[in-house]
Amino acid sequence: MKVVVDLKLCEGNQRCMEAAPEVFDVRDDDKAHLLMQNPPESLREKVKLAVRMCPRQAITIEG
Amino acid sequence: MSQQQISLENLNVIGPDYYAKNGYPHAEWTYLREHDPVHWCEYPNTDPFWAITKHADIVQIAKQPKLFSIAKRLLIFVPDTPSEPDPVPPFRHLLNMDPPEHGDYRGIVSARFTPRAVRSLEPQIEAITRKVFDGVTGKSRLDFVTDISSKVPLAVIAELLGVPQKDWDQLFRWTNETIGGSDPEFQDGTNSDETFDRARIGLFNYFNNLVEEKTKNPGNDLTSVVAAARINGAPMPQFEMLSYFLLLVVAGNETTRNATTGGLRALIENPEQWERLKKDRSLLKPAIEEIVRWTTPVIQFARTANEDTEIRDKKIAAGETVCLFYPSANRDEEVFENPFTFDVGRNPNPHVAFGIGEHFCLGANLARLELEVIFRELIERMEYAELAGPVERLRSSFVGGIKHMPITTKINPARN
């Protein structure tokens, strides 16, 4: 599973970090940074929740 | 209206009189979600549209801003008399811009509204809120709207914009007239168009002067930020700049006010939830989310299809409008367990009261913080509250407004 964040859309709302802290980290630049590009399958549900909760719909899962 | 009487032929989800008289048409929306979630609507005085009532459909539409334009028709407005739509919109701001322009304009202030940025405003909002509550301490009877819920958001947005306090009342009148132009209480002129136009021009003139002042003496306020902004290297055109202020003033006032009023009402009507919140302050954050879901102050925005498309089993032709009914999505049985139960501990709570995607409410984090501060103060200092007269609703099918909510109450002095 590959995760992509559209940084033009991201406004640092931190919902992804709440849903999947293993994968997302919102830093002082108010942007979501990926802690891993290809999270393991075991995190799929959490990443899916992050996708759903992102107010700007800036996250996509590829594969 | 009970479920039995509703039929697809006679239901009305857009008439402003219905909203003034009954509040939100939840029975009708529930019926639509079950029987015809993408429903073709024709009403007098407004162009036809598709009513979108399911959570999933609103999300799908909102996240495709290139397929579904907001610039072509911002919302479903139902004037009292048939009127030709103005070929030139009366304002151009974030709400009626599509990408990529929308992103360029949004980026000018978005850094001021991130969770991190608004957190720094907490002491300021606390001071405002405390002062408002101090002003009514000991009063046993008050109008919660004019005495409390309208005062905090007005003061917050005015301070953020750098508007001097002597002008706040005027600012408040303009925001009421912009949103409440269809309501006789706020009408200043013969009809809603005239009322809106006067308020808009008054506000434009005011900010034109303020911009001049802030250009000479810039401060840390939003007016200075917008005044100095450049779009693709050029100064922002005047019409777009003045529209920007119209948006910030109106959006900063109308929504938080009504979430606050509706939130207290929900607590009054669900005393066990009020008790729960009093006993466990860790529920404050989920309680705020639930208040926002429960009240969903913005009723609808529209989108217009740029090309032929489909939603569920319905063919949407290019040029046709879809109307996104957020309060309906926030009662969607497929997303929320017991959607008609007010539950301050609800989790998860993926409501779409702030919209979602490209046009997600810019001020959402500020609104959340304001509500958190207000309800923290309220839980602390308001011993009880009871409705003491009729709740008067705004005549609007855009904002679910409460104009007046008389209560009997006991508000204690601040602890320190």
Side-chain angles (χ1 to χ4, degrees):
Chain A
M1 161 176 61
K2 186 169 184 281
V3 182
V4 179
V5 177
D6 183 340
L7 291 175
K8 274 199 81 175
L9 281 175
C10 175
E11 288 180 345
N13 282 292
Q14 303 177 358
R15 293 292 143 135
C16 54
M17 201 163 74
E18 289 162 22
E22 302 87 341
V23 181
F24 303 97
D25 182 29
V26 177
R27 300 192 186 145
D28 285 354
D29 59 355
D30 284 320
K31 296 286 176 192
H33 295 258
L34 286 170
L35 298 175
M36 47 179 98
Q37 301 281 344
N38 299 287
E41 274 307 306
S42 56
L43 290 174
R44 185 177 284 274
E45 283 312 305
K46 282 188 165 186
V47 175
K48 274 168 75 179
L49 181 65
V51 169
R52 196 166 64 120
M53 292 302 284
C54 174
R56 295 277 283 158
Q57 297 287 289
I59 309 168
T60 39
I61 302 176
E62 292 173 1
Chain B
M1 195 182 265
S2 70
Q3 282 276 2
Q4 289 77 18
Q5 294 166 289
I6 299 173
S7 75
L8 289 178
E9 288 68 41
N10 72 5
L11 58 77
N12 179 354
V13 288
I14 204 70
D17 283 320
Y18 183 102
Y19 284 86
K21 191 163 165 264
N22 310 297
Y24 285 1
H26 274 300
E28 284 81 349
W29 284 327
T30 300
Y31 186 89
L32 283 178
R33 284 195 303 277
E34 189 182 342
H35 298 284
D36 197 27
V38 180
H39 177 65
W40 184 248
C41 295
E42 292 181 19
Y43 291 102
N45 299 349
T46 193
D47 288 335
F49 61 91
W50 295 96
I52 310 294
T53 48
K54 292 288 284 181
H55 188 281
D57 295 343
I58 287 183
V59 172
Q60 278 312 310
I61 292 166
K63 66 195 276 190
Q64 299 179 79
K66 286 178 186 135
L67 177 57
F68 292 101
S69 159
I70 199 166
K72 291 179 175 163
R73 193 177 179 191
L74 176 60
L75 52 92
I76 310 300
F77 177 61
V78 188
D80 293 331
T81 49
S83 61
E84 283 299 308
D86 200 328
V88 185
F91 49 76
R92 280 198 79 239
H93 54 47
L94 295 180
L95 282 181
N96 59 347
M97 286 178 182
D98 287 325
E101 194 184 27
H102 173 257
D104 296 337
Y105 275 82
R106 185 173 170 115
I108 290 164
V109 296
S110 59
R112 295 293 188 111
F113 290 100
T114 64
R116 210 170 53 87
V118 299
R119 206 32 86 180
S120 69
L121 301 172
E122 191 163 359
Q124 199 179 341
I125 297 173
E126 274 172 355
I128 288 168
T129 304
R130 181 161 291 199
K131 211 169 141 194
V132 167
F133 275 81
D134 287 347
V136 288
T137 298
K139 275 178 85 175
S140 60
R141 200 187 156 90
L142 41 101
D143 178 346
F144 186 70
V145 179
T146 53
D147 287 328
I148 295 182
S149 70
S150 63
K151 287 204 161 158
V152 177
L154 173 69
V156 171
I157 195 69
E159 283 193 6
L160 287 182
L161 284 163
V163 171
Q165 196 160 358
K166 64 175 170 55
D167 301 327
W168 291 5
D169 286 347
Q170 181 57 62
L171 209 60
F172 188 59
R173 277 196 290 280
W174 284 325
T175 178
N176 283 337
E177 287 164 10
T178 301
I179 291 299
S182 299
D183 191 292
E185 182 171 335
F186 301 115
Q187 240 166 47
D188 167 27
T190 54
N191 57 39
S192 55
D193 284 357
E194 215 171 277
T195 304
F196 172 73
D197 250 9
R198 270 199 227 180
R200 179 180 65 103
I201 289 162
L203 190 141
F204 276 14
N205 284 332
Y206 179 84
F207 275 95
N208 205 25
N209 292 332
L210 193 62
V211 162
E212 214 172 286
E213 213 181 296
K214 298 285 181 188
T215 307
K216 280 187 219 139
N217 302 303
N220 190 34
D221 51 80
L222 282 173
T223 306
S224 300
V225 173
V226 175
R230 298 182 80 80
I231 297 289
N232 299 320
M236 194 191 294
Q238 188 190 35
F239 181 59
E240 278 74 3
M241 184 182 292
L242 297 175
S243 300
Y244 217 120
F245 296 116
L246 178 78
L247 172 66
L248 292 173
V249 169
V250 172
N253 271 298
E254 300 295 330
T255 47
T256 315
R257 177 202 315 181
N258 290 308
T260 304
T261 312
L264 175 63
R265 191 181 178 187
L267 291 174
I268 291 172
E269 287 169 355
N270 299 273
E272 76 295 345
Q273 297 296 313
W274 193 340
E275 265 317 298
R276 216 177 139 199
L277 193 51
K278 260 187 197 168
K279 284 196 185 117
D280 182 359
R281 305 290 166 88
S282 74
L283 289 172
L284 188 60
K285 270 179 199 282
I288 296 309
E289 292 308 310
E290 181 67 344
I291 285 170
V292 173
R293 179 189 79 92
W294 190 251
T295 56
T296 313
V298 175
I299 299 164
Q300 44 110 359
F301 277 116
R303 301 288 192 275
T304 299
N306 278 330
E307 36 188 283
D308 292 353
T309 184
E310 278 178 29
I311 305 169
R312 293 184 190 259
D313 54 339
K314 299 293 171 69
K315 293 200 182 334
I316 314 292
E320 285 177 353
T321 299
V322 292
C323 177
L324 314 182
F325 284 107
Y326 304 105
S328 173
N330 288 343
R331 295 287 192 282
D332 192 332
E333 301 76 3
E334 275 189 273
V335 177
F336 301 97
E337 219 172 286
N338 303 319
F340 285 91
T341 303
F342 178 73
D343 172 8
V344 294
R346 185 180 291 278
N347 182 34
N349 193 346
H351 66 75
V352 285
F354 293 116
I356 193 160
E358 181 78 21
H359 289 277
F360 174 71
C361 175
L362 180 66
N365 297 308
L366 177 63
R368 285 185 166 117
L369 179 60
E370 285 183 43
L371 292 168
E372 229 180 278
V373 172
I374 294 168
F375 280 93
R376 199 192 297 145
E377 192 82 4
L378 189 145
I379 295 298
E380 186 75 31
R381 296 176 63 177
M382 189 179 265
E383 232 169 75
Y384 74 94
E386 276 168 29
L387 294 181
V391 172
E392 284 181 55
R393 293 188 199 85
L394 184 68
R395 184 172 180 274
S396 167
S397 38
F398 170 45
V399 169
I402 298 180
K403 296 189 292 180
H404 302 289
M405 189 168 88
I407 55 169
T408 48
T409 185
K410 180 161 187 257
I411 295 175
N412 296 320
R415 280 236 177 105
N416 43 46

